[in-house]
Amino acid sequence: MSAEPDGPEDRLRRLTTIWSRALYPVTSTSLTRAEFEEQLLPLARRLSELLRVRSFDADAAKAVGAALVEAHCTDPEALSRTLDCVDAYLVLYCGGDGPQDELRMRSSRLQHAMAAGYAHALRRRTLAEQEAIAQAALRAQGVVAQALHASEARFRAVFEGAAIGIGIADLDGHILQVNEALLRMFGLTQQSLRGRRVQDWTHPDDAPQTWRLYDELVRGDREHYHLEKAFNRPDGTVLWTNLTVSLLRDADGRPQYQLALMEDTTERRLLNLRLRYEATHDALTGLPNRTLFFERLEKVLAAGDGQRFGLCYLDLDGFKTINDSLGHAAGDRLLVEVADRLQSCATAPGEMVARLGGDEFVALTTGPGTDRTVDELAERIMNALVTPISIDGRDLLVRGSLGIVEGPAGERTAAEVLRSADITMYRAKSAGGNRSELADPEADARAITRHGLTTALPAALERGEFFIEYQPLVHLGDGSVRGAEALVRWLHPQHGVLGPDRFIPLAEHTGLIVPLGRWVLEESIRQARAWRVWHGGQDAGPLRINVNLSPCQLSHPGLVQDTVDILERAGVTPDALCLEVTESALIGADDDLLKPLRRLAEMGVDIALDDFGTGYSNLANLRRLPVSVLKLDRSFTQGMQQFPADPVDLKIVEGIVTLAHSLDLAVTVEGVETGAQAEQLRVLGCDTAQGWYYARPGPPERLHDLALADAKG
């Protein structure tokens, strides 16, 4: 029998064991290694939790670094070994099945925060030690007359045994004495320091206030100062320190010496730089990542003063196909090659290329003439993709869709600029790809509005923002109202009443068309029930309700059962319902797609073929479709609105009506707007019609009034 897989606690224990083995040899502690491991366990558990939480908590990670200092892990090797352990094993043992790239990025950020917390805590500890040393020095001077020998012994013990560098100089800057720790930090000997002056240790990276603070101290205007300072070593390397300089006064309070305390921060600084690089650059391509790009773009946009920018947003066409067919390793090599080519396109001052993620790249250019330079940059990018890329012996043609945004700084935020570029890129992709498009504010506004409507759709259905208008279906023979088509509307809080052409495609794209269609069907059948109750009292025939059915609803497995349930709950017979399906939705439909329509037709529900004549279907297919009504598209009858009517339209409609009646199908015409048009359609043999000539879509009460007037007439 195979062993059970390790649980999360076991993996956490394993990580802690590895960590304690690496850290224990360089830790000053009286604990045994097993006890030290138990001390590290809650810190490892906290790192595991921080790796998986939704939002990154830098303060909590800093607290882990500070806890190491509190546990006496202050040896210079302690932080390096800890970060190496976290980098190698945290994601492996605590990442679970999460996205590895994201977890590695989060692990890198955790390391950065831990290092910052460790450095801050060590700095506090060091400053406390420095203060103790300074106080000891002052006390030693203050009691020199009373206990010179004892004071000198204590000071010498602190001076020589301290882990930080200590130096004493006179007020002219001549170095008088340094301890062994400072000599090791600089790589110097006591002899080599003779004759040196503090002012000799200037460095190009000195902060502007460094020597101003020094001058104030030696004049006696300042007691101490603290800053970060770089020093040149004899071997050509740079020593970075946390430097504290204090003024020592004699018994009468006159300035006499300056005391310098130095903590070597070189390795910590290099580590921070490495972590910063990893946090701001893409691990695969080495390009700046989204974080660094946003920092640069925000800086450019905040510049103002006539500054302009140009941005190219690139998405590779068909990259998913390459990944799926050749594997992710080949896809990664392709991305690296694309990144190299893009990098070679942006070499001018003010130009930058970054990888935002996946197969999305962005190039930025700045300067006064970006309207021209961004076009040139876009052309170089598109040309760079022309040459095939060889992967595993295959020459792959790589194409891309490019969105271009150009304009003055200071008018838009970085998020708004990138959103415009993203929208423009998808506009290029929807136009066939392998092309570039320039941002259009009106197109952006339309896309943003579509996105806003898409995200608002679910809540709108829950809040009851949809309503239905009904357009009468009139019998052309006697002019009686035979039913109505249900047309859904959206009463949007900001945009007012929206027609179905504005939101039905969005509902189909998101899948919300199924619950929305179910609601329309329920409301329409409930209204049909109300009409039938009233119409029955008038001793007249039943009114039928027509409801549109989208292709998504047609393929939904619950269509038939939902329809049956709704009819039964309303107490309405199936013959009161007609479902309209567009001709294009049924082109090439197989038996599986037609099966639910056949079942509904067998129950007594009428099926209408909507927009007939626009789908280019084979007329012979009509015999296999379970339809009972052909709904003729309005394009065939527009020519009848004028006199004389278009003879071609007359012949086409006459032929369709003859064909439909020969197949025992009724013919409904939509878009009837004039009396002459209605009369011509009646003469041609059409059965029912709808349009503004009879009534515009309106509330259910209007149909009630029309039917009442028809009954009285």
Side-chain angles (χ1 to χ4, degrees):
M1 181 179 297
S2 60
E4 291 292 325
D6 290 341
E9 188 64 22
D10 294 327
R11 292 192 292 272
L12 186 65
R13 279 283 184 180
R14 190 171 300 171
L15 169 64
T16 308
T17 299
I18 295 172
W19 190 8
S20 68
R21 287 174 178 169
L23 199 54
Y24 187 80
V26 295
T27 300
S28 300
T29 178
S30 60
L31 301 176
T32 65
R33 200 192 65 77
E35 292 170 337
F36 182 69
E37 181 174 333
E38 289 300 316
Q39 191 176 19
L40 290 182
L41 180 59
L43 301 183
R45 180 172 286 108
R46 187 61 178 141
L47 288 176
S48 176
E49 294 168 352
L50 293 173
L51 181 67
R52 301 190 304 273
V53 294
R54 181 179 297 274
S55 58
F56 181 71
D57 189 347
D59 291 338
K62 290 178 181 178
V64 174
L68 291 176
V69 176
E70 294 174 4
H72 306 292
C73 302
T74 56
D75 188 275
E77 280 291 312
L79 179 60
S80 177
R81 294 189 181 193
T82 291
L83 294 176
D84 288 343
C85 179
V86 171
D87 184 62
Y89 299 105
L90 180 60
V91 173
L92 177 64
Y93 287 116
C94 302
D97 297 327
Q100 295 300 299
D101 288 345
E102 180 178 340
L103 288 172
R104 283 193 292 272
M105 178 62 72
R106 182 176 286 267
S107 174
S108 178
R109 295 181 67 188
L110 283 175
Q111 295 171 54
H112 189 280
M114 282 176 62
Y118 182 92
H120 188 66
L122 188 59
R123 178 183 172 188
R124 290 199 306 268
R125 183 187 181 105
T126 302
L127 288 177
E129 187 178 88
Q130 292 172 351
E131 183 64 20
I133 293 171
Q135 291 300 322
L138 291 172
R139 286 194 300 271
Q141 284 187 339
V143 298
V144 65
Q146 302 175 9
L148 181 59
H149 181 72
S151 174
E152 179 69 20
R154 287 196 299 270
F155 178 76
R156 179 58 54 190
V158 172
F159 187 82
E160 295 297 341
I164 62 174
I166 305 175
I168 299 175
D170 62 22
L171 298 184
D172 291 329
H174 296 103
I175 298 171
L176 304 177
Q177 194 172 10
V178 298
N179 69 350
E180 288 297 324
L182 189 143
L183 292 173
R184 289 195 300 270
M185 288 165 54
F186 278 83
L188 296 171
T189 63
Q190 287 281 4
Q191 291 76 12
S192 63
L193 277 174
R194 291 176 183 173
R196 297 290 295 269
R197 301 178 69 236
V198 172
Q199 295 88 335
D200 295 337
W201 273 317
T202 60
H203 192 275
D205 291 332
D206 284 344
Q209 73 272 23
T210 299
W211 295 103
R212 175 179 59 80
L213 294 174
Y214 175 82
D215 290 338
E216 291 175 0
L217 183 129
V218 297
R219 287 199 311 264
D221 297 336
R222 175 180 294 276
E223 294 301 317
H224 57 81
Y225 64 88
H226 177 83
L227 46 74
E228 186 178 34
K229 177 166 171 38
F231 294 89
N232 288 314
R233 289 190 178 108
D235 62 1
T237 61
V238 177
L239 167 70
W240 280 92
T241 67
N242 277 330
L243 173 66
T244 299
V245 183
S246 300
L247 181 65
L248 302 182
R249 298 177 182 268
D250 62 17
D252 297 326
R254 292 187 297 270
Q256 189 172 18
Y257 300 107
Q258 51 179 309
L259 174 70
L261 307 176
M262 299 181 188
E263 177 197 2
D264 186 351
T265 61
T266 306
E267 290 189 9
R268 191 187 314 158
R269 180 180 177 87
L270 293 175
L271 175 62
N272 287 337
L273 291 174
R274 179 174 68 85
L275 292 175
R276 166 66 179 169
Y277 180 87
E278 291 176 355
T280 56
H281 286 74
D282 177 51
L284 176 65
T285 63
L287 292 177
N289 62 11
R290 179 182 290 268
T291 300
L292 184 57
F293 170 73
F294 258 92
E295 290 178 3
R296 172 70 183 281
L297 181 59
E298 287 172 346
K299 184 177 180 180
V300 168
L301 296 179
D305 298 330
Q307 179 82 344
R308 297 183 70 86
F309 73 94
L311 188 148
C312 298
Y313 194 117
L314 174 69
D315 183 272
L316 301 183
D317 297 334
F319 178 71
K320 184 178 183 301
T321 302
I322 295 174
N323 253 354
D324 292 344
S325 59
L326 300 182
H328 288 278
D332 286 348
R333 290 199 295 275
L334 177 70
L335 291 175
V336 170
E337 176 62 27
V338 170
D340 290 343
R341 294 187 182 186
L342 296 181
Q343 187 73 62
S344 66
C345 294
T347 56
E351 293 183 343
M352 170 190 186
V353 173
R355 182 190 179 201
L356 298 186
D359 59 334
E360 295 180 342
F361 298 86
V362 65
L364 178 67
T365 181
T366 59
T370 53
D371 53 344
R372 173 181 53 81
T373 57
V374 73
D375 289 338
E376 295 173 353
L377 179 59
E379 184 177 359
R380 291 198 299 271
I381 290 173
M382 297 303 287
N383 289 337
L385 299 178
V386 170
T387 305
I389 295 176
S390 180
I391 303 293
D392 295 335
R394 300 169 181 258
D395 286 338
L396 302 179
L397 292 175
V398 180
R399 297 291 182 263
S401 299
L402 197 66
I404 304 172
V405 179
E406 191 278 334
E411 295 185 355
R412 288 178 285 182
T413 66
E416 290 170 340
V417 169
L418 199 63
R419 179 176 63 183
S420 177
D422 190 30
I423 291 171
T424 307
M425 178 273 292
Y426 276 106
R427 185 150 50 86
K429 192 174 287 289
S430 64
N434 192 29
R435 59 185 295 159
S436 61
E437 291 283 349
L438 186 64
D440 177 8
E442 294 183 0
D444 288 358
R446 288 194 298 271
I448 293 170
T449 300
R450 283 196 303 271
H451 177 72
L453 294 178
T454 301
T455 56
L457 270 171
L461 185 56
E462 294 177 2
R463 289 195 296 260
E465 294 177 2
F466 293 97
F467 66 97
I468 298 175
E469 290 186 330
Y470 299 89
Q471 187 170 40
L473 285 163
V474 177
H475 191 274
L476 287 170
D478 56 16
S480 63
V481 176
R482 294 298 178 88
E485 180 180 0
L487 301 169
V488 64
R489 306 285 191 253
W490 183 1
L491 182 56
H492 193 278
Q494 283 80 40
H495 301 291
V497 177
L498 302 178
D501 58 313
R502 293 287 302 277
F503 61 87
I504 290 297
L506 305 180
E508 290 178 337
H509 179 70
T510 60
L512 191 71
I513 190 65
V514 173
L516 178 60
R518 187 184 299 115
W519 176 83
V520 172
L521 190 61
E522 288 177 338
E523 289 295 305
S524 302
I525 290 179
R526 182 189 59 78
Q527 186 58 56
R529 168 68 177 172
W531 283 331
R532 285 204 161 196
V533 170
W534 172 83
H535 220 253
Q538 297 294 320
D539 194 26
L543 292 175
R544 186 181 66 186
I545 189 73
N546 285 31
V547 179
N548 291 284
L549 200 64
S550 77
C552 292
Q553 290 174 274
L554 182 60
S555 59
H556 189 265
L559 172 63
V560 175
Q561 190 59 50
D562 283 349
T563 305
V564 171
D565 292 344
I566 292 171
L567 288 169
E568 289 181 351
R569 283 198 301 268
V572 175
T573 56
D575 64 339
L577 175 64
C578 178
L579 295 175
E580 297 188 8
V581 184
T582 60
E583 181 186 14
S584 58
L586 295 182
I587 293 177
D590 56 20
D591 289 339
D592 289 338
L593 188 63
L594 296 177
K595 188 178 296 182
L597 290 182
R598 289 198 178 101
R599 289 181 58 189
L600 291 169
E602 291 167 358
M603 290 164 43
V605 175
D606 282 328
I607 308 297
L609 194 60
D610 197 11
D611 297 334
F612 182 76
T614 62
Y616 308 104
S617 62
N618 189 339
L619 295 179
N621 286 335
L622 286 175
R623 66 179 65 191
R624 74 182 188 91
L625 299 178
V627 299
S628 53
V629 179
L630 290 186
K631 198 164 185 183
L632 196 61
D633 186 72
R634 67 182 63 215
S635 60
F636 291 105
T637 62
Q638 287 177 342
M640 300 180 190
Q641 295 177 5
Q642 56 191 8
F643 184 84
D646 188 325
V648 176
D649 287 348
L650 291 175
K651 287 293 185 181
I652 292 174
V653 173
E654 181 180 16
I656 292 175
V657 171
T658 301
L659 172 65
H661 287 170
S662 68
L663 297 174
D664 199 22
L665 303 177
V667 177
T668 297
V669 183
E670 56 185 355
V672 178
E673 298 183 9
T674 66
Q677 188 182 12
E679 176 60 22
Q680 188 65 66
L681 292 169
R682 184 193 66 79
V683 171
L684 291 174
C686 297
D687 300 289
T688 54
Q690 64 186 90
W692 287 7
Y693 172 67
Y694 303 106
R696 296 193 178 196
E701 296 79 12
R702 182 180 298 174
L703 189 77
H704 176 91
D705 295 340
L706 290 172
L708 180 62
D710 175 56
K712 289 181 178 179

